[in-house]
């Protein structure tokens, strides 16, 4: 074979290798918190196409509106973390390691209004990071212990935080004055953690990890209107299906996933997924859910029509936070 042919063949092989490793569209992003890695998975094949190092103990992840960047809160392990990883999903590499200074235990994180909002659990506050300036440009003290999760309303006018150590939620509502937000503290059950806003924006459901209950908050009234005893051992995450009909709760304590009917407030099904089910992600069309089963180093795939597990995706060590992305 001529040198020209060999060169062309080498170029072709290199192009094929690049194509095989490109970030798929859509892509499932999974944080392997014990490996300190972000895995990019092709949901069509269940294959991992790339693994990208993060900071220590990555727990939660959010994605920019254009699907090109991921932001990872590095919670830490024994030592409290204080960084956010900015990941280029196209080039499949960490662009920068954002040092948060005195802010410790970053956890709940979401992308909104071109910026990254996150909790700093140890500092009892939420903060905002501007990727354009690479600066923390805003802080707001919550004054509650263990400010852990953060959920935005669809119109970005409201923020809920779960305050595990104070058995409370904080509802922040945008205001027109110079303060910017008004805060209401709402007492709930023991150790609220996983939570979600109903798609119609009327209710906020908080899974209380310490007493096996769910607190249902009427958002307009800013108060708990109902408490469900769902008998979870240690609830971790709670998610509404996009149509608002189902509520999924992962139960670390009983190695289960609980499925509730929102209208009747009744249990529909309880599935044993294996040890330590944690993060939950529901795809935008509501056809299936992914549940990170940390103790099995896998993600379970749940068909939301049949409520049957249809597959398992192998992951790294300790999968937890997940995101769904369609790179543009």
């Amino acid at each position: 074979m001529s040198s020209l042919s060999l060169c062309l063949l080498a170029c072709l092989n290199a192009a094929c290798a690049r194509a095989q490793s490109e970030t798929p569209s859509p892509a499932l992003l999974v944080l392997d918190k014990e490996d300190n890695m972000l895995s990019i998975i092709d949901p069509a094949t269940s294959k991992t196409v790339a693994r990208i190092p993060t900071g220590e103990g990555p727990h939660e992840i959010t994605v920019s509106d254009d699907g090109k960047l991921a932001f990872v809160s590095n919670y830490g392990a024994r030592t409290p973390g204080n960084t956010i990883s900015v990941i280029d999903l196209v080039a499949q590499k960490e662009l920068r390691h954002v040092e948060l200074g005195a802010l410790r235990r970053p956890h709940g994180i979401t992308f909104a209004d071109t910026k990254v909002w996150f909790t700093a659990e140890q500092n009892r506050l939420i903060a905002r990071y501007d990727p354009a300036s690479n600066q923390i440009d805003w802080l707001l003290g919550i004054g509650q212990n263990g400010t852990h999760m953060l959920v935005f309303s669809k119109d970005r006018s409201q923020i809920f935080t779960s305050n595990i150590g104070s058995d409370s939620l904080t509802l922040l509502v945008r205001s027109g004055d110079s303060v910017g937000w008004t805060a209401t503290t709402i007492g709930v059950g023991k150790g609220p953690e996983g939570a979600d806003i109903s798609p119609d924006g009327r209710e906020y459901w908080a899974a209380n990890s310490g007493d096996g209950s769910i607190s249902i908050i009427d958002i307009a009234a800013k108060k708990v209107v109902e408490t469900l005893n769902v008998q979870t051992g240690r609830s971790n995450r709670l998610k509404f299906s996009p149509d608002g009909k189902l509520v999924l709760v992962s139960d670390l304590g009983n190695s289960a996933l609980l499925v509730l009917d929102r209208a009747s407030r009744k249990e529909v099904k309880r599935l044993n997924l294996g040890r330590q089910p944690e993060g939950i992600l529901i795809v935008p069309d509501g056809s299936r859910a992914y549940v990170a089963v940390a103790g099995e180093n896998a993600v379970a795939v749940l068909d939301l029509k049949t409520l049957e597990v249809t597959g398992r995706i192998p992951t790294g060590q300790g999968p937890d936070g997940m995101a769904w992305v369609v790179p543009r």
Side-chain angles (χ1 to χ4, degrees):
M1 187 178 292
S2 69
S3 59
L4 177 60
S5 298
L6 286 170
C7 181
L8 290 174
L9 180 61
C11 291
L12 179 61
N13 288 338
C16 290
R18 285 195 299 272
Q20 289 172 357
S21 64
E22 287 179 357
T23 298
S25 182
L28 173 65
L29 309 182
V30 180
L31 294 177
D32 303 319
K33 61 187 179 186
E34 293 178 22
D35 289 341
N36 306 324
M37 286 282 184
L38 164 63
S39 293
I40 300 177
I41 296 172
D42 185 344
T45 63
S46 297
K47 302 296 184 183
T48 298
V49 300
R51 300 192 80 210
I52 305 163
T54 64
E56 184 180 42
H59 276 221
E60 296 297 320
I61 182 170
T62 190
V63 179
S64 60
D65 290 339
D66 62 9
K68 294 179 179 179
L69 297 176
F71 304 89
V72 176
S73 57
N74 298 314
Y75 186 80
R78 291 185 179 180
T79 301
N82 70 329
T83 65
I84 290 175
S85 291
V86 181
I87 308 291
D88 184 330
L89 294 173
V90 178
Q92 299 176 352
K93 66 179 183 180
E94 184 182 60
L95 290 180
R96 51 186 178 264
H97 216 56
V98 181
E99 297 289 340
L100 301 178
L103 302 184
R104 294 290 190 271
R105 294 292 194 196
H107 195 268
I109 189 167
T110 192
F111 187 88
D113 302 333
T114 73
K115 300 186 181 184
V116 179
W117 307 65
F118 62 96
T119 62
E121 180 181 294
Q122 191 165 299
N123 305 80
R124 306 195 302 170
L125 56 76
I126 60 175
R128 187 175 66 194
Y129 166 68
D130 182 1
S133 65
N134 192 31
Q135 297 291 326
I136 302 297
D137 66 359
W138 178 83
L139 300 169
L140 180 63
I142 299 300
Q144 301 287 294
N145 295 324
T147 302
H148 195 64
M149 299 302 294
L150 180 150
V151 181
F152 255 100
S153 62
K154 284 183 180 179
D155 64 3
R156 308 305 190 193
S157 67
Q158 300 167 332
I159 301 173
F160 274 93
T161 68
S162 300
N163 311 309
I164 298 176
S166 290
D167 302 332
S168 70
L169 309 174
T170 299
L171 168 58
L172 300 169
V173 180
R174 283 191 195 268
S175 59
D177 57 27
S178 59
V179 176
W181 298 85
T182 59
T184 301
T185 301
I186 304 169
V188 291
K190 296 292 184 183
E193 188 171 349
D196 201 8
I197 298 174
S198 61
D200 60 14
R202 295 179 180 177
E203 296 176 342
Y204 185 84
W205 288 39
N208 302 309
S209 62
D211 63 14
S213 71
I214 292 175
S215 299
I216 300 176
I217 291 89
D218 181 312
I219 294 177
K222 300 181 181 179
K223 66 179 183 180
V224 175
V225 293
E226 193 170 355
T227 300
L228 309 180
N229 180 15
V230 293
Q231 299 180 337
T232 47
R234 183 190 160 195
S235 50
N236 187 66
R237 294 291 176 266
L238 180 150
K239 295 290 181 183
F240 277 94
S241 61
D243 61 9
K245 294 181 179 180
L246 297 177
V247 179
L248 274 57
V249 184
S250 57
D251 183 359
L252 270 165
N254 294 321
S255 298
L257 179 75
L258 178 62
V259 183
L260 300 171
D261 178 82
R262 178 195 175 189
S264 68
R265 315 306 210 211
K266 300 297 184 183
E267 180 179 324
V268 176
K269 194 166 187 178
R270 196 174 293 237
L271 299 97
N272 187 336
L273 299 182
R275 294 175 295 122
Q276 294 180 270
E278 298 192 18
I280 301 173
L281 183 144
I282 301 177
V283 297
D285 67 6
S287 61
R288 63 192 181 279
Y290 294 95
V291 182
V293 189
E296 307 289 340
N297 299 324
V299 170
V301 185
L302 178 68
D303 185 315
L304 287 182
K305 291 183 179 179
T306 64
L307 299 182
E308 297 291 338
V309 175
T310 59
R312 286 182 180 267
I313 302 172
T315 66
Q317 299 287 316
D320 188 4
M322 294 180 287
W324 187 258
V325 59
V326 182
R328 300 171 191 168

